Amino acid sequence: MDNIVYWLQSSLMRVFPNSPASNKKNICIHGAGNERISFQACLRNLTPVQINTRISVSGPKDLGIQVRRVGYVLVRHHNTDTNESELDGVGHIPGYVPDPLFPEETATLGPFESHAFWITVSIPPNLQPGIRTLNIQFIDGDTVECTLTANITVYPFTSQPSHNFPVTHWIYADAICDWYSAEPFDERFWAIAEQYLKNLVEHGNNCLYVPLFTPPTDGVKRPTQLLRVTTTGPDKYLFDFSDVQRWVQLAKKHGAKYFEWTHLFSQWGARYGIRIYRNNQDINSLIWPPETEANSETYRKFLAQFLPEFHRFLQSNRLVEQSFFHLSDEPGKDDLQNYKEARNILKELAPWMKIADALSDINYGREGLTDIPIPSIESARYYADAGIPAWTYFCCGPRGNYLNRLMDTSLAKIRMSGWLFYHLGAKGFLHWGYNYWYKRGANCLIDPFMEQSGQAWPEWPYGDTFVVYPGEHGPIDSIRWEIFAESLQDYSLLQTAGIARDDNLFSALKGYDDFPKTEEWLDAARSHVLSL
């Protein structure tokens, strides 16, 4: 059809509805065995009428090919505290931003509008090296309007899954219940939740969060407590781990290697015990008042009965060494004494526990209060300078020059995540927002296709609260999620190749706020590693 322009685009550049057309008719991308690589097939309608198109991608049977339509979501503002040179989408935001990836091969374009399809190629392990060609056809009715080609160079290299680098994102069982009108934990819930657990592992998350109790973060949540707790008398309890067992088995089924467990004390300072319910269907079925102090006799007696039972469960499932336990989320400088007291309780009652907490104050690390500190990428350098091994995280910030994964973070910048984690020696990565589809601090769902900040912009930036959208029967991936997963593949590639962390390859990587952010650097670096 005249006045329709077709082209191919790398996966590291967003194609907005009013992006100009390109003349790139073929593309060359490279990968190793066990990798998923991606690119985009695009078109722009230069006519004043609506057009419909269908895409067909064919290639060798030894490659897995997945085609998805790029969807667009409304983003009302750019995120704050970031110079224009660090922003993606300038001139397009406010407006529609490409992010969700729908399992569709057709698209409707309005006049003078661009659209893209996301093509993912899976390379099996130990595949014969060489170049394989994909044919991409755009079809209108029964007529092939355009054929483009993509050459996939497969290197004689099979990347192995990363090891000794846990990656976790917090999954919200309450969001699944509320979005899909399911009850915790009925069969409808389990069928849908399994798709989300599978999706996490498929995107490089080898550590899965287990909502043993309702997470005590970001306000009072709908009860979603896997552990069934029954009171048998004053300060006497029975525990049923059957739902916990089912969650763990599903996670293992899909390849999880590590497990992360609910915080045992309140957020921001460990002042209180957490909310524990007799019944997930009754928000008023709390076993003790919310203001019950962390060091109260009531809470100590509960922990004294629960922790030995929990330990036996972990031992019977061979999970002790594969588990990470939380005390309190993001305690600050003024919370040090409360945190110490809570830590002493756990040392007394559960000396086997490895505590891992998101905290950025270096004093927690210096005093050895946390076995596995998880500082923000902004504070990670202080732990490194002190010789304290640590994971890292980002959350809402830091912004500006720093690594992040927001709706207006360039995709090349997101793709640098795995390279920075590897070179800077992070021992793991944590993020809080896998599927948080709520207004901040409330049990009110938002529409993630229209709102990506929990209605809390600018404090909460667009793109921080979730990386998957709710589909009919499970998650819809985002471009940000796909690129982050590919960055974790880069980590695995570097680890498999045995690249030293101080190799000259990383000479331009100075810190989480000073590193290359271009597709050219990434292509050259990957080609170098694949050619070793």
Side-chain angles (χ1 to χ4, degrees):
M1 182 183 293
D2 294 337
N3 295 322
I4 308 298
V5 183
Y6 305 90
W7 76 97
L8 296 180
Q9 181 69 57
S10 84
S11 60
L12 294 180
M13 182 176 292
R14 291 183 175 95
V15 178
F16 294 86
N18 59 343
S19 287
S22 167
N23 60 3
K24 193 170 189 177
K25 303 303 181 185
N26 53 63
I27 194 170
C28 299
I29 54 177
H30 49 260
N34 264 348
E35 286 196 321
R36 284 161 45 99
I37 55 180
S38 55
F39 64 97
Q40 298 176 84
C42 315
L43 70 163
R44 181 164 179 80
N45 177 13
L46 299 178
T47 77
V49 299
Q50 167 193 317
I51 66 167
N52 300 306
T53 191
R54 176 170 62 88
I55 190 172
S56 174
V57 182
S58 60
K61 292 182 179 180
D62 54 9
L63 295 177
I65 301 172
Q66 181 184 23
V67 179
R68 288 172 286 182
R69 180 179 65 82
V70 176
Y72 299 89
V73 296
L74 179 63
V75 178
R76 291 175 172 80
H77 310 281
H78 274 294
N79 290 310
T80 56
D81 304 317
T82 303
N83 291 331
E84 184 174 316
S85 61
E86 288 286 329
L87 292 171
D88 193 18
V90 174
H92 301 279
I93 298 173
Y96 285 99
V97 173
D99 200 47
L101 299 175
F102 295 103
E104 301 169 5
E105 298 179 356
T106 61
T108 298
L109 283 74
F112 315 110
E113 186 176 305
S114 296
H115 213 97
F117 292 90
W118 193 271
I119 301 170
T120 301
V121 180
S122 299
I123 305 173
N126 305 311
L127 184 64
Q128 185 70 27
I131 298 175
R132 285 149 172 87
T133 300
L134 304 185
N135 291 310
I136 300 100
Q137 294 183 329
F138 286 93
I139 303 167
D140 180 10
D142 295 326
T143 303
V144 175
E145 296 289 346
C146 180
T147 300
L148 307 174
T149 58
N151 290 322
I152 312 297
T153 300
V154 178
Y155 281 78
F157 188 103
T158 293
S159 184
Q160 301 301 320
S162 63
H163 55 87
N164 298 325
F165 184 71
V167 176
T168 184
H169 286 72
W170 292 351
I171 182 172
Y172 293 86
D174 53 342
I176 293 174
C177 288
D178 286 340
W179 190 273
Y180 294 96
S181 300
E183 291 296 326
F185 293 94
D186 63 15
E187 290 307 311
R188 176 171 168 75
F189 170 86
W190 285 112
I192 296 169
E194 180 172 3
Q195 300 308 309
Y196 284 87
L197 297 178
K198 178 183 177 184
N199 179 271
L200 277 159
V201 177
E202 287 176 342
H203 287 78
N205 288 252
N206 52 10
C207 180
L208 288 193
Y209 186 88
V210 185
L212 184 71
F213 302 114
T214 303
T217 51
D218 188 50
V220 180
K221 294 179 168 56
R222 170 180 179 165
T224 45
Q225 180 177 307
L226 284 171
L227 182 67
R228 299 176 194 171
V229 181
T230 303
T231 54
T232 60
D235 295 326
K236 298 291 184 183
Y237 310 98
L238 288 178
F239 306 101
D240 181 347
F241 283 85
S242 55
D243 283 336
V244 185
Q245 181 79 53
R246 186 169 180 178
W247 185 280
V248 167
Q249 287 174 338
L250 279 179
K252 284 184 173 182
K253 171 184 172 182
H254 293 292
K257 303 299 182 186
Y258 304 99
F259 294 86
E260 178 192 11
W261 303 87
T262 314
H263 299 79
L264 292 175
F265 296 87
S266 61
Q267 191 175 26
W268 302 315
R271 182 175 177 182
Y272 303 109
I274 62 172
R275 295 168 183 258
I276 294 179
Y277 299 87
R278 297 182 181 88
N279 184 342
N280 281 318
Q281 278 68 46
D282 182 2
I283 197 169
N284 297 312
S285 65
L286 284 169
I287 294 178
W288 46 73
E291 303 80 16
T292 299
E293 299 281 345
N295 60 358
S296 65
E297 279 301 305
T298 295
Y299 199 55
R300 284 183 64 97
K301 287 179 179 178
F302 172 81
L303 291 175
Q305 294 169 70
F306 159 67
L307 290 170
E309 291 292 324
F310 185 31
H311 193 210
R312 280 189 281 273
F313 170 81
L314 295 169
Q315 287 178 314
S316 67
N317 286 275
R318 300 181 180 178
L319 295 176
V320 177
E321 297 303 317
Q322 287 72 44
S323 288
F324 303 102
F325 309 96
H326 293 308
L327 192 156
S328 177
D329 185 50
E330 270 296 355
K333 180 172 60 176
D334 297 335
D335 303 314
L336 198 60
Q337 187 56 40
N338 283 346
Y339 194 94
K340 284 181 179 179
E341 291 179 8
R343 186 70 183 97
N344 287 334
I345 291 172
L346 293 183
K347 283 182 177 179
E348 174 191 340
L349 299 177
W352 44 270
M353 270 192 165
K354 292 182 294 187
I355 298 299
D357 272 333
L359 41 78
S360 294
D361 189 323
I362 188 64
N363 289 315
Y364 287 84
R366 286 179 178 148
E367 295 194 32
L369 295 175
T370 307
D371 300 298
I372 304 169
I374 310 177
S376 161
I377 58 173
E378 193 171 15
S379 302
R381 67 184 64 185
Y382 304 124
Y383 283 81
D385 291 346
I388 302 171
W391 292 19
T392 196
Y393 79 95
F394 47 72
C395 164
C396 297
R399 305 178 201 177
N401 295 341
Y402 278 93
L403 177 72
N404 218 306
R405 193 178 57 199
L406 306 175
M407 297 299 293
D408 54 4
T409 305
S410 77
L411 298 180
K413 187 174 183 178
I414 296 173
R415 183 66 185 265
M416 289 299 297
S417 302
W419 297 83
L420 289 164
F421 299 153
Y422 188 88
H423 170 59
L424 298 175
K427 300 300 181 184
F429 176 78
L430 177 149
H431 195 276
W432 76 281
Y434 173 65
N435 66 321
Y436 188 87
W437 306 315
Y438 288 107
K439 179 180 178 180
R440 180 176 68 173
N443 292 329
C444 174
L445 287 172
I446 52 93
D447 179 354
F449 298 96
M450 298 293 288
E451 167 61 46
Q452 308 85 34
S453 72
Q455 295 184 4
W457 179 90
E459 184 179 354
W460 281 14
Y462 294 113
D464 195 58
T465 61
F466 61 85
V467 287
V468 293
Y469 296 81
E472 185 177 359
H473 302 293
I476 294 171
D477 293 323
S478 68
I479 289 176
R480 294 168 295 123
W481 191 224
E482 293 292 290
I483 295 300
F484 187 77
E486 291 186 15
S487 86
L488 297 178
Q489 285 187 161
D490 293 340
Y491 185 104
S492 298
L493 185 72
L494 294 166
Q495 194 175 63
T496 302
I499 305 294
R501 296 187 189 275
D502 59 354
D503 191 280
N504 286 336
L505 175 67
F506 307 115
S507 60
L509 279 66
K510 309 298 185 184
Y512 288 111
D513 60 343
D514 186 359
F515 57 94
K517 300 160 188 174
T518 67
E519 184 176 341
E520 291 74 21
W521 189 92
L522 282 158
D523 280 347
R526 275 183 54 85
S527 295
H528 172 76
V529 177
L530 288 167
S531 299
L532 292 176

